[in-house]
Amino acid sequence: MNNGSLRNAMRQKTILSSILFLLSLSTGFSQNADEKILMTVAGMDVEAGEFIRMFNKSPDPDYKVELDEYLRQFIAFKLKVADAMEHGYDTTSSFMEELSGYRQQLAQSWLSDPDIKETVLRKAYQRYLEEINASHILVSCKPDASPEDTLKAYNKAVSLRERIISGEPFADVAKSGSDDRSVIVNNGNLGYFTVYQMIAPFEEAAYSLQPGMVSEPVRTPFGYHIIKVNDRRPSGGRIRVAHIMKSAPAGSDEKIIQKAEKEINEIYERLEKGESFARLASENSDHRESAANGGEMNWFGTGEFINDFSEAAFAIRDTGDYTKPVRSPYGFHIIKLLERKAPGSWEEAKPFLESRLDQSELVAMGKKSFIEKLRKEYAFNIDPRVKNWFVKKTDTLIISGKAKYPLRGRPKGNIYSFAGCSLSAADFASYLENRGNKTITTNPLRFIDTAIEAISSEEIMKYEDSVLEKKHPDFKYLMKEFHDGILLFEISSDKVWNKVQEDTAGLKLHYEKNKDRYLSETSAGPSPLPFSEVQADVISDYQDWLNEQWINELTRKYNVNINDQVFVEVKKRLANDQDN
């Protein structure tokens, strides 16, 4: 995977992971109340329901900002989206393709029978209680590869597996034959993971293996995998930690690495002498986001952080203990355990598992049952007169695709109808004639029934997909957030992030104007540090400054009107929600 595709994958994962949490929320507000216009930003109406769901997105109430402050942040977000739309970001083919892809994924959550999901969710919960350490070898093969290329990839995977079964070390075979580039640093070992952290076929195969076992070739959209399970262990639950980091990313100059290692060791010695972990983190950690909070991080579980960090953190035995310096691809860390909690009960874990189910192929198991429910809801009806005509006119030549239905005597009506939709007898005949010999039967009645089932199921699902925004407010708001989130990412890249990387002159000018923010104590008193030593801090500050200037410009450019009465109602709703 190249850097560009990895960046896009990480962006998609970030947007999806933040939005999928909303699937488990139950606001309890009526649809009409949700649809009240809370504000108008740059001529675009914003419904109360959208604001409420965005505010409720944080899974940890301790990290929520005050409502008035959140309103300010929300308006800034909407102003940036308005700016993106004015500049045509929402009209590009890449944007429309990406949004369509997100919708297609998200729609699966509303196009499956939740009753059928129960069995699948129970199975997922059992996996949730266990963690697997596995290694793999990948033989790349695209989903649309030719039969010849697919067979070639499969045979290569079989050959690599045979080498392992014959006694050759898995790591050696992985390094010589895997197309996963990370094999260079991990010998094919993916670390520990749990349910819904791997693509469905990979997860299914891994959980079917005991330690030491090697799978047959497993097909995924990436190609064929050979999987070896190294260990299975009970889930470690979730933990919250604080850490101190000295930055030394993989590939850094040896002097940078040595400097970071020396600094982290000195900090460790100070901890051993009794100095405050939180104060040392605030003053010395290069991870600025956590340093501002004494090094404290949010809750996480196995597979959610890089393996080196995660394993060291989960290995801490007692609350309050901390590790010796730990190396990761980002640098060196000292990690302190703050809290630990066991895996959730079935009732606690179910909302999370259900929210993730749409991301796997397992949702297809509920499709047939869901369609049957829709048939009843939409009063699906087959015209027996039209159906009987097709049954009488169907023979083996028709079934084998070698003949067509006669035009003479063909009924004028529809073969079926539902929810104002229908399929005419003429269109059904065309469908059957072009379908070829997909149905293996010589029975005319079975042939017609199977054909009606196939085409009506497809059309019912298409119709249901087309009305999701009307039927389900949650779906509508989620799609709105996808829409706005993509636009925000793209315009922020152009206005802030990319500009910071490209505007060297502006960056250095910002440093010159703000030297007093980057001081070091010397014998002669405070003295500005050289640009080269504080470049990372300057970049971050310059990015914040660009963002602030941009928001100020947008505030002057666009009108924002808030419906105070609706905002008062929103405050009451959110207050009631917190009380409950």
Coordinates of all heavy atoms in Angstrom, one line a residue, residues 26-38 47-53 55-56 67 477 565-580:
S26 N -29.5 6.9 20.7 CA -31.0 7.0 20.7 C -31.4 8.3 21.3 O -31.4 8.5 22.5 CB -31.6 5.8 21.4 OG -33.0 5.9 21.4
T27 N -31.7 9.3 20.4 CA -31.9 10.6 21.0 C -33.3 10.8 21.6 O -33.4 11.6 22.5 CB -31.8 11.7 19.8 OG1 -32.9 11.3 18.9 CG2 -30.5 11.6 19.1
G28 N -34.2 10.0 21.2 CA -35.5 10.1 21.8 C -36.3 11.3 21.4 O -37.3 11.7 22.0
F29 N -35.9 12.1 20.4 CA -36.6 13.3 20.0 C -37.4 13.0 18.8 O -37.1 12.2 18.0 CB -35.6 14.4 19.6 CG -34.6 14.7 20.7 CD1 -33.2 15.0 20.4 CD2 -34.9 14.6 22.0 CE1 -32.3 15.2 21.3 CE2 -34.0 14.9 23.0 CZ -32.7 15.2 22.7
S30 N -38.6 13.7 18.7 CA -39.5 13.4 17.6 C -38.9 14.0 16.3 O -38.0 14.9 16.3 CB -40.8 14.1 17.9 OG -40.7 15.5 17.8
Q31 N -39.3 13.4 15.2 CA -38.8 13.8 13.9 C -39.1 15.3 13.6 O -38.3 16.0 13.1 CB -39.3 12.9 12.8 CG -38.8 13.2 11.4 CD -39.1 12.2 10.4 OE1 -39.7 11.1 10.7 NE2 -38.9 12.5 9.2
N32 N -40.3 15.7 14.0 CA -40.7 17.1 13.7 C -39.8 18.1 14.5 O -39.4 19.1 14.0 CB -42.2 17.3 14.0 CG -43.1 16.6 13.0 OD1 -42.7 16.3 11.9 ND2 -44.3 16.3 13.5
A33 N -39.5 17.7 15.7 CA -38.7 18.6 16.6 C -37.2 18.6 16.0 O -36.6 19.7 16.0 CB -38.6 18.1 18.0
D34 N -36.8 17.5 15.5 CA -35.4 17.4 14.9 C -35.4 18.3 13.7 O -34.3 18.9 13.4 CB -35.1 16.0 14.5 CG -34.5 15.2 15.7 OD1 -34.3 15.8 16.8 OD2 -34.3 14.0 15.5
E35 N -36.4 18.5 13.0 CA -36.4 19.2 11.7 C -36.6 20.7 11.8 O -36.5 21.4 10.8 CB -37.5 18.6 10.8 CG -37.2 17.2 10.3 CD -38.4 16.6 9.5 OE1 -39.5 17.2 9.5 OE2 -38.2 15.5 8.9
K36 N -36.7 21.2 13.0 CA -36.8 22.6 13.2 C -35.5 23.2 12.9 O -34.4 22.7 13.1 CB -37.1 23.0 14.7 CG -38.6 22.6 15.1 CD -38.9 23.1 16.5 CE -40.3 22.9 16.9 NZ -40.6 23.3 18.2
I37 N -35.5 24.4 12.2 CA -34.3 25.1 11.8 C -33.6 25.8 12.9 O -34.2 26.7 13.5 CB -34.6 26.1 10.6 CG1 -35.2 25.3 9.5 CG2 -33.3 26.7 10.2 CD1 -34.4 24.1 8.9
L38 N -32.4 25.3 13.3 CA -31.7 25.9 14.4 C -31.0 27.2 14.0 O -30.9 28.2 14.7 CB -30.7 24.9 15.0 CG -29.8 25.4 16.1 CD1 -30.5 26.0 17.3 CD2 -28.8 24.4 16.5
E47 N -30.6 21.9 10.7 CA -31.7 21.4 11.6 C -31.2 21.2 13.0 O -30.0 20.8 13.2 CB -32.3 20.1 11.0 CG -33.0 20.3 9.6 CD -33.6 19.1 9.1 OE1 -33.4 18.0 9.7 OE2 -34.2 19.1 8.0
A48 N -32.1 21.3 13.9 CA -31.8 21.0 15.3 C -31.2 19.6 15.5 O -30.3 19.4 16.3 CB -33.0 21.2 16.2
G49 N -31.8 18.6 14.8 CA -31.4 17.3 14.9 C -30.0 17.0 14.6 O -29.3 16.2 15.2
E50 N -29.5 17.7 13.5 CA -28.1 17.6 13.1 C -27.2 18.1 14.2 O -26.2 17.4 14.6 CB -27.9 18.3 11.8 CG -26.4 18.2 11.4 CD -26.2 19.1 10.1 OE1 -27.1 19.7 9.6 OE2 -25.0 19.2 9.7
F51 N -27.5 19.2 14.8 CA -26.7 19.8 15.8 C -26.6 18.9 17.1 O -25.6 18.6 17.7 CB -27.2 21.2 16.2 CG -26.4 21.9 17.3 CD1 -25.3 22.6 17.0 CD2 -26.8 21.8 18.6 CE1 -24.6 23.2 18.0 CE2 -26.1 22.4 19.6 CZ -25.0 23.1 19.3
I52 N -27.8 18.4 17.4 CA -27.9 17.5 18.6 C -27.1 16.2 18.5 O -26.3 15.8 19.4 CB -29.4 17.1 18.9 CG1 -30.1 18.4 19.4 CG2 -29.5 16.0 19.9 CD1 -31.6 18.2 19.4
R53 N -27.1 15.6 17.3 CA -26.4 14.4 17.1 C -24.9 14.7 17.1 O -24.1 13.9 17.5 CB -26.9 13.7 15.8 CG -28.2 13.0 15.9 CD -28.9 12.8 14.6 NE -30.1 12.0 14.7 CZ -31.2 12.4 15.2 NH1 -31.4 13.7 15.5 NH2 -32.3 11.6 15.3
F55 N -23.4 17.1 18.7 CA -23.0 17.3 20.1 C -22.9 16.0 20.9 O -22.0 15.9 21.7 CB -24.0 18.3 20.8 CG -23.6 18.6 22.2 CD1 -22.6 19.6 22.4 CD2 -24.2 18.0 23.2 CE1 -22.3 20.0 23.7 CE2 -23.8 18.3 24.6 CZ -22.9 19.3 24.8
N56 N -23.8 15.1 20.6 CA -23.8 13.8 21.4 C -22.8 12.8 20.9 O -22.7 11.7 21.5 CB -25.2 13.2 21.3 CG -26.2 13.8 22.2 OD1 -25.8 14.3 23.3 ND2 -27.5 13.8 21.9
L67 N -22.0 24.0 26.0 CA -22.8 24.1 24.8 C -22.6 25.3 24.0 O -22.6 25.3 22.8 CB -24.3 23.9 25.2 CG -25.3 23.7 24.1 CD1 -25.0 22.5 23.3 CD2 -26.7 23.6 24.6
Y477 N -28.9 12.4 8.7 CA -27.9 13.2 9.4 C -26.5 12.7 9.3 O -25.6 13.4 9.2 CB -28.3 13.4 10.9 CG -29.6 14.2 11.1 CD1 -30.6 13.7 11.9 CD2 -29.7 15.5 10.5 CE1 -31.8 14.5 12.1 CE2 -30.8 16.2 10.7 CZ -31.9 15.7 11.5 OH -33.0 16.5 11.6
Q565 N -35.0 30.8 19.9 CA -36.1 30.0 20.5 C -35.8 28.5 20.3 O -35.9 27.7 21.3 CB -37.4 30.3 19.9 CG -38.6 29.5 20.5 CD -39.9 29.9 19.9 OE1 -40.1 30.9 19.3 NE2 -41.0 29.1 20.2
V566 N -35.4 28.1 19.1 CA -35.0 26.7 18.9 C -33.8 26.3 19.7 O -33.7 25.2 20.2 CB -34.8 26.4 17.4 CG1 -34.3 25.0 17.2 CG2 -36.1 26.7 16.6
F567 N -32.8 27.2 19.8 CA -31.6 26.9 20.6 C -32.0 26.7 22.1 O -31.4 25.8 22.7 CB -30.6 28.0 20.5 CG -29.3 27.7 21.0 CD1 -28.6 26.5 20.7 CD2 -28.6 28.6 21.9 CE1 -27.4 26.2 21.3 CE2 -27.4 28.3 22.5 CZ -26.8 27.1 22.1
V568 N -32.9 27.4 22.6 CA -33.4 27.2 24.0 C -34.0 25.8 24.1 O -33.7 25.1 25.1 CB -34.4 28.3 24.4 CG1 -35.0 27.9 25.7 CG2 -33.7 29.7 24.5
E569 N -34.8 25.4 23.1 CA -35.4 24.1 23.1 C -34.3 23.0 23.1 O -34.4 22.0 23.8 CB -36.3 23.9 21.9 CG -37.5 24.8 22.0 CD -38.4 24.6 20.8 OE1 -38.2 23.7 20.0 OE2 -39.3 25.5 20.6
V570 N -33.2 23.2 22.3 CA -32.1 22.3 22.1 C -31.4 22.1 23.5 O -31.1 21.0 23.9 CB -31.1 22.7 21.1 CG1 -29.8 22.0 21.1 CG2 -31.8 22.6 19.7
K571 N -31.2 23.2 24.2 CA -30.6 23.2 25.5 C -31.4 22.4 26.5 O -30.8 21.5 27.2 CB -30.4 24.6 26.0 CG -29.3 25.4 25.4 CD -29.2 26.8 26.1 CE -28.0 27.6 25.6 NZ -27.8 28.9 26.2
K572 N -32.7 22.5 26.4 CA -33.6 21.8 27.3 C -33.5 20.3 27.0 O -33.4 19.5 27.9 CB -35.0 22.3 27.2 CG -35.2 23.7 27.8 CD -36.7 24.1 27.7 CE -36.9 25.5 28.2 NZ -38.3 26.0 28.1
R573 N -33.5 20.0 25.7 CA -33.5 18.5 25.3 C -32.2 17.9 25.8 O -32.2 16.8 26.4 CB -33.5 18.4 23.8 CG -34.9 18.8 23.2 CD -34.8 18.6 21.7 NE -35.9 19.2 21.0 CZ -36.0 19.2 19.7 NH1 -35.0 18.7 19.0 NH2 -37.1 19.7 19.1
L574 N -31.1 18.6 25.6 CA -29.8 18.0 25.9 C -29.6 17.9 27.5 O -29.1 16.9 28.0 CB -28.6 18.9 25.4 CG -28.5 18.8 23.8 CD1 -27.5 19.9 23.4 CD2 -28.1 17.4 23.4
A575 N -30.2 18.9 28.2 CA -30.1 18.8 29.6 C -31.0 17.6 30.1 O -30.5 16.9 31.0 CB -30.7 20.1 30.2
N576 N -32.1 17.4 29.5 CA -33.0 16.3 29.9 C -32.3 15.0 29.6 O -32.4 14.0 30.3 CB -34.3 16.3 29.2 CG -35.2 17.5 29.7 OD1 -35.0 18.0 30.8 ND2 -36.1 18.0 28.9
D577 N -31.6 14.9 28.4 CA -30.9 13.7 28.0 C -29.8 13.4 29.0 O -29.6 12.2 29.4 CB -30.3 13.9 26.6 CG -29.7 12.6 26.1 OD1 -30.4 11.6 26.1 OD2 -28.6 12.7 25.6
Q578 N -29.1 14.4 29.5 CA -28.0 14.1 30.5 C -28.6 13.7 31.8 O -28.0 12.8 32.5 CB -27.2 15.4 30.7 CG -26.3 15.8 29.4 CD -25.6 17.1 29.6 OE1 -25.7 17.8 30.6 NE2 -24.8 17.4 28.6
D579 N -29.7 14.2 32.2 CA -30.4 13.8 33.5 C -30.8 12.4 33.4 O -30.8 11.7 34.4 CB -31.6 14.7 33.8 CG -31.1 16.1 34.1 OD1 -29.9 16.3 34.5 OD2 -32.0 17.1 34.0
N580 N -31.2 11.9 32.2 CA -31.7 10.6 32.1 C -30.5 9.6 31.9 O -30.7 8.4 32.0 CB -32.6 10.4 30.8 CG -33.9 11.2 31.0 OD1 -34.3 11.4 32.1 ND2 -34.5 11.7 29.9

